[in-house]
Amino acid sequence: MQERALKNGKIHFIWNSVTEEVLGGEAVEGVKIKDINTNAVQTIPCSGFFVAIGHQPNTKIFEGQIKLDPNGYILTDGRTRTNIPGVFACGDVMDSRYRQAITAAGTGCMAAIEAEQYLESLNHH
């Protein structure tokens, strides 16, 4: 997918930048970005906006507590359960392949069901 996007003349990549502001009212009219190397700010007129946030999961807070893979994704047993009983992971922090909203929603539902079953099992002990 990356190779196709890079070859598409209609797609313009802006590297090493952060979004300062998406401009417009009910529709996107432009975006203000800042170059993280030079701090230069520029406004780009556009009618659509897609942010690629990278591939670093936001899991540093769990290091040394929950098992992570070498890339920082939380390891689960395929049912959203982590190595700690009662702690479940879903969405982008455990899914290194798809990392999209539908995966987060689906695994979020899975984690909720697992958490419910876990809590129910505590009541029976």
Side-chain angles (χ1 to χ4, degrees):
M1 186 166 50
Q2 180 181 358
E3 287 178 22
R4 286 194 328 243
L6 289 168
K7 290 178 184 176
N8 187 327
K10 295 179 182 179
I11 299 174
H12 181 69
F13 290 87
I14 301 172
W15 307 104
N16 303 312
S17 298
V18 294
T19 303
E20 293 284 301
E21 183 180 2
V22 177
L23 307 170
E26 291 187 23
V28 174
E29 296 175 10
V31 63
K32 189 181 293 186
I33 62 169
K34 179 173 76 172
D35 185 300
I36 61 172
N37 294 320
T38 65
N39 289 327
V41 175
Q42 65 175 316
T43 299
I44 301 168
C46 61
S47 60
F49 181 72
F50 178 82
V51 179
I53 60 171
H55 301 286
Q56 187 77 29
N58 193 11
T59 57
K60 282 203 178 291
I61 190 172
F62 305 117
E63 284 180 359
Q65 301 173 71
I66 297 174
K67 288 185 181 177
L68 306 175
D69 74 9
N71 294 316
Y73 290 92
I74 296 174
L75 293 172
T76 62
D77 65 352
R79 292 178 47 189
T80 73
R81 297 179 295 190
T82 68
N83 61 299
I84 300 175
V87 177
F88 305 89
C90 62
D92 293 3
V93 297
M94 55 76 68
D95 176 24
S96 63
R97 181 173 179 138
Y98 300 105
R99 295 183 302 254
Q100 297 293 321
I102 194 64
T103 302
T107 57
C109 180
M110 291 167 60
I113 290 168
E114 292 292 339
E116 178 185 33
Q117 291 173 352
Y118 174 79
L119 293 172
E120 186 64 30
S121 75
L122 294 179
N123 291 332
H124 293 298
H125 284 97

